[in-house]
Amino acid sequence: ELKVEQNPLFLSMQEGKNYTIYCNYSTTSDRLYWYRQDPGKSLESLFVLLSNGAVKQEGRLMASLDTKARLSTLHITAAVHDLSATYFCALLRGTYKYIFGTGTRLKVLA
Amino acid sequence: NAGVTQTPKFQVLKTGQSMTLQCAQDMNHEYMSWYRQDPGMGLRLIHYSVGAGITDQGEVPNGYNVSRSTTEDFPLRLLSAAPSQTSVYFCASRPGTGGHEQYFGPGTRLTVT
């Protein structure tokens, strides 16, 4: 059974601290996506990682993909309150089927 | 562009009732999909379509029907609603068959009593 596991599921961190969210998956794929969801809102695309070793950065967020380890990471640098949200990784299985992780709920405390 | 739109935003149904959730996109995307989001389970793919007249099942298709008569519209039908279908439903689209990200609609919150 294909699994996409995120950890931690919940993360409470102080402003200014660094942390990493992990996304492990159980099948080969070289297409991995990160989304952000604010409470009661839709999903917003953050990063598209399309090959082994891909690294993307936007502001305080950096995502990477290691297809050999079947692992993607979302690194948060010097967190600010505005980053509080739920973060999802999603794997593209084949051409059309996306499998989402369960999400990581991040709360950044002032 | 309006992007991906969904109606209604909220809906309450009684068990056994039927209804259609509407989804439309104005980006000329070939690929459209429906997900349900339940607490602690992320998003699960219900059905998807790769173009007008072409649909296929996702991870949790039972109890739902779809059709795609135009590029723009991809409605999701609940034939006989059950409490287990209480969820938030998202429609999404993306261009073609490349590695593009999906663009999500605002969601429909459905409660079945």
Side-chain angles (χ1 to χ4, degrees):
Chain A
E1 181 188 352
L2 172 61
K3 289 185 179 179
V4 179
E5 296 180 334
Q6 287 182 238
N7 68 82
L9 298 182
F10 300 96
L11 177 56
S12 180
M13 57 192 297
Q14 296 288 331
E15 275 194 332
K17 298 293 187 183
N18 303 334
Y19 210 84
T20 300
I21 299 171
Y22 298 89
C23 174
N24 293 271
Y25 53 95
S26 61
T27 190
T28 56
S29 176
D30 57 1
R31 300 187 175 192
L32 196 292
Y33 306 82
W34 284 95
Y35 291 89
R36 168 182 172 144
Q37 184 180 39
D38 292 305
K41 303 293 186 182
S42 186
L43 281 77
E44 171 192 357
S45 177
L46 292 174
F47 299 109
V48 179
L49 304 170
L50 298 180
S51 61
N52 185 42
V55 177
K56 296 278 185 75
Q57 182 163 4
E58 180 72 33
R60 301 175 187 274
L61 301 177
M62 183 174 72
S64 66
L65 178 62
D66 182 344
T67 59
K68 293 179 182 177
R70 299 181 184 176
L71 171 69
S72 180
T73 60
L74 181 65
H75 186 73
I76 303 157
T77 301
V80 294
H81 180 71
D82 285 351
L83 290 179
S84 297
T86 298
Y87 294 86
F88 291 95
C89 63
L91 187 74
L92 181 58
R93 184 182 184 187
T95 308
Y96 302 121
K97 294 187 177 182
Y98 294 83
I99 310 295
F100 278 76
T102 51
T104 296
R105 187 180 297 177
L106 171 66
K107 185 172 184 179
V108 181
L109 305 173
Chain B
N1 287 349
V4 180
T5 58
Q6 291 182 238
T7 56
K9 289 191 168 130
F10 302 94
Q11 183 70 50
V12 178
L13 289 179
K14 294 186 187 301
T15 297
Q17 287 184 317
S18 63
M19 81 158 295
T20 299
L21 307 185
Q22 301 292 343
C23 174
Q25 52 91 9
D26 62 359
M27 298 174 282
N28 202 32
H29 286 171
E30 296 173 6
Y31 178 93
M32 295 184 74
S33 55
W34 275 103
Y35 294 86
R36 58 178 292 171
Q37 183 176 27
D38 302 296
M41 299 189 74
L43 278 75
R44 291 182 291 168
L45 180 64
I46 304 171
H47 286 285
Y48 65 93
S49 168
V50 299
I54 307 170
T55 64
D56 205 347
Q57 296 181 349
E59 188 182 356
V60 288
N62 292 341
Y64 307 95
N65 275 1
V66 292
S67 60
R68 183 105 178 263
S69 56
T70 67
T71 300
E72 294 78 20
D73 300 298
F74 190 42
L76 178 73
R77 282 183 289 277
L78 283 70
L79 302 176
S80 178
S84 61
Q85 294 178 304
T86 294
S87 188
V88 180
Y89 292 85
F90 288 100
C91 178
S93 72
R94 75 158 206 224
T97 57
H100 301 280
E101 71 268 41
Q102 296 182 92
Y103 297 85
F104 282 83
T108 295
R109 184 174 295 272
L110 175 68
T111 302
V112 183
T113 62

